[in-house]
Amino acid sequence: MSPPAPLLPPGPEAAGPAGMLALPAEITVPVDALLESLRAQAAQRSCIVLDCSRLQLVEFNAAAPLLAGIARLADGKPVEWRDMSHLVSTLLQLIGGAGRLRIINRKP
């Protein structure tokens, strides 16, 4: 087993580059506080673009509530997950269905 990837330096968690909504380095249960911090910004956009460049870990038990909460925030708007690690991408695709998620993975 390889050691975990180093965490990126902390940065703003609510406003990513170019109008993207930035996600934190780790997402754990409960996800309510994270979703609440994204709610106001998501409501003002026609398309929700999530910056996953800092995202290193999604706790298994947090994956389903995260996907359900983002779907509620989107309210039918398209959602794009950008710059996501392949490991996190695989987990979310297994939990949420690969065909329904628009994920752009990091380049290796």
Side-chain angles (χ1 to χ4, degrees):
M1 182 184 298
S2 64
L7 295 177
L8 298 172
E13 294 189 5
M20 292 190 283
L21 303 176
L23 294 179
E26 294 184 7
I27 298 177
T28 58
V29 180
V31 297
D32 299 332
L34 171 63
L35 294 172
E36 190 57 39
S37 70
L38 299 174
R39 183 176 316 281
Q41 295 172 6
Q44 300 170 357
R45 301 170 195 265
S46 61
C47 175
I48 298 174
V49 180
L50 300 170
D51 175 18
C52 304
S53 60
R54 294 186 57 234
L55 185 59
Q56 297 290 321
L57 173 94
V58 174
E59 191 176 84
F60 181 79
N61 293 334
L66 173 67
L67 291 172
I70 294 292
R72 280 191 308 273
L73 286 179
D75 193 29
K77 300 175 195 171
V79 177
E80 192 171 283
W81 305 71
R82 289 194 184 165
D83 202 21
M84 184 179 285
S85 75
H86 289 277
L87 186 61
V88 173
S89 171
T90 301
L91 171 65
L92 293 182
Q93 289 175 1
L94 287 171
I95 299 295
R100 298 186 308 173
L101 295 174
R102 170 85 170 111
I103 296 175
I104 300 171
N105 290 317
R106 291 182 193 147
K107 298 200 188 308

